[in-house]
Amino acid sequence: MSNSSGNPPHGRNTHLYKQAERLRVAAEQAKSAELAKQTRAAEQAKTMQRAQWNMIDHRAKWDTAGQAKAAQVRVDSSFFDRMWNQLKPGSQRIVKALTIGGLAAVGIPLVITALMHVGDPSKYFDDRSTWNEMLEDLKVSAWDVWITYFSEVAPYWMGHASETVQRYLRFELIGMFDELGRIATEISGTLTTLAWDIVDYNTSLVDLVTSCAPILLALVPFAGTLPGKALLMAAAFGFLKLLWGLVKEFLGKIKSLDLKLETLGHKMFELRGLFNVGDNKLHLKPVGYDPNLWVPVTKEN
């Protein structure tokens, strides 16, 4: 309120002017506070919406992974028993032929080694399924952590602590969950490869033994003559060469997969350490310890 000269009024008018000025300033502050509150609410709504869309996208990927898991195939439970029933009598005929041919000292240990590497793949298929289930549980846990913050913390708390937690979730924790998921996926895939390599080895060994055993056994009656024994030894050497090649190839695959699983185990161990956050990393304090750390959204500024 001013006089005709444009200067502040004097006397009683001065008091009225100051009151009017204080009311104007208070109205502007209230308006600014309300605008800031609406801005924060709009930003939180946008953040929540982005978070929900991000997690919807993640869940779509996880559902795809679950469908892939359901589509995985495996050998039936009686496969190993049927394979062993074929392999056992054939190997006995092979050992008999090697003994008569004079190659028992070299051939029998190799046959035993080949039989010792025969395995039941169902265990590795079961382990693969276990890792897939863990992968699903892991991603559900990531969703729970994410949605809990944006539904239980973000709408009610602001301040440095809330912002720190949000940055940690966005740029570290969810990334660690994703990396852990990738490791679990690789382990599952490695176990699948291992299981099918065992299936391939078992079937190749059965094919080799069942095809060579009748031939060697047919040559046994002629081992009493020098040409017959030479022919039996040549056939036995040929069989042992093929057998050693099969065992060597299988051992190479097993070694490669074992090294891969060991590397993945080290990665998981290192990642597990990153999940142990504690207060020292986020520098968080209890509510009320510092008024600038945890600020209620309803607090008037």
Side-chain angles (χ1 to χ4, degrees):
M1 185 179 296
S2 303
N3 55 24
S4 58
S5 64
N7 297 319
H10 298 281
R12 184 177 178 81
N13 289 339
T14 302
H15 177 69
L16 293 175
Y17 172 80
K18 289 181 178 179
Q19 281 187 328
E21 185 67 17
R22 282 197 295 269
L23 289 173
R24 183 186 64 81
V25 172
E28 290 180 353
Q29 289 177 344
K31 183 179 179 181
S32 299
E34 182 64 23
L35 181 61
K37 183 177 179 181
Q38 292 176 357
T39 302
R40 286 197 303 271
E43 290 177 351
Q44 288 173 351
K46 291 180 181 178
T47 300
M48 185 64 180
Q49 186 178 35
R50 286 196 298 267
Q52 289 175 340
W53 279 111
N54 288 337
M55 293 309 296
I56 287 172
D57 180 62
H58 275 289
R59 288 191 71 86
K61 294 178 181 178
W62 300 340
D63 290 341
T64 301
Q67 293 172 0
K69 174 199 170 185
Q72 286 179 329
V73 296
R74 54 176 297 164
V75 295
D76 64 275
S77 57
S78 61
F79 168 81
F80 182 75
D81 293 335
R82 294 200 307 271
M83 181 276 305
W84 190 253
N85 290 333
Q86 289 181 299
L87 190 58
K88 193 173 181 180
S91 60
Q92 292 174 345
R93 297 187 185 98
I94 292 289
V95 168
K96 179 180 178 181
L98 293 174
T99 302
I100 296 175
L103 298 175
V106 178
I108 293 179
L110 182 56
V111 172
I112 294 175
T113 300
L115 294 177
M116 288 177 60
H117 284 92
V118 173
D120 186 355
S122 61
K123 178 183 183 303
Y124 301 100
F125 284 117
D126 292 339
D127 290 344
R128 175 197 64 182
S129 299
T130 300
W131 275 99
N132 287 335
E133 291 172 1
M134 291 172 58
L135 180 61
E136 290 182 357
D137 293 339
L138 171 69
K139 291 177 177 178
V140 170
S141 298
W143 166 261
D144 289 341
V145 172
W146 183 276
I147 203 64
T148 297
Y149 172 79
F150 284 102
S151 62
E152 302 295 336
V153 179
Y156 308 105
W157 293 97
M158 50 182 293
H160 302 318
S162 182
E163 294 171 358
T164 300
V165 173
Q166 183 178 150
R167 285 195 300 269
Y168 176 70
L169 289 178
R170 285 178 174 276
F171 303 112
E172 293 190 50
L173 185 62
I174 297 302
M176 288 192 296
F177 269 116
D178 289 340
E179 180 62 23
L180 192 56
R182 283 190 288 269
I183 293 175
T185 301
E186 286 190 51
I187 292 177
S188 174
T190 303
L191 291 173
T192 301
T193 302
L194 177 59
W196 284 112
D197 282 345
I198 292 175
V199 172
D200 291 340
Y201 173 78
N202 290 347
T203 54
S204 297
L205 183 61
V206 169
D207 288 341
L208 180 61
V209 169
T210 55
S211 61
C212 291
I215 297 175
L216 293 178
L217 204 61
L219 295 175
V220 167
F222 304 99
T225 63
L226 188 60
K229 189 168 185 177
L231 186 59
L232 177 60
M233 291 182 64
F237 270 122
F239 165 77
L240 293 177
K241 184 178 180 179
L242 293 174
L243 183 62
W244 171 242
L246 179 62
V247 172
K248 185 178 179 181
E249 180 184 7
F250 179 68
L251 291 178
K253 292 180 179 179
I254 294 298
K255 180 180 178 180
S256 176
L257 294 175
D258 180 66
L259 292 175
K260 184 175 181 180
L261 285 174
E262 185 177 4
T263 300
L264 292 172
H266 289 312
K267 288 183 179 180
M268 183 166 291
F269 180 79
E270 294 172 358
L271 194 60
R272 185 178 65 178
L274 295 178
F275 273 93
N276 296 326
V277 180
D279 293 338
N280 294 331
K281 183 173 183 179
L282 295 181
H283 305 289
L284 299 180
K285 301 297 180 182
V287 175
Y289 181 88
D290 184 341
N292 293 323
L293 280 179
W294 293 103
V295 181
V297 171
T298 56
K299 181 179 179 180
E300 296 294 339
N301 294 324

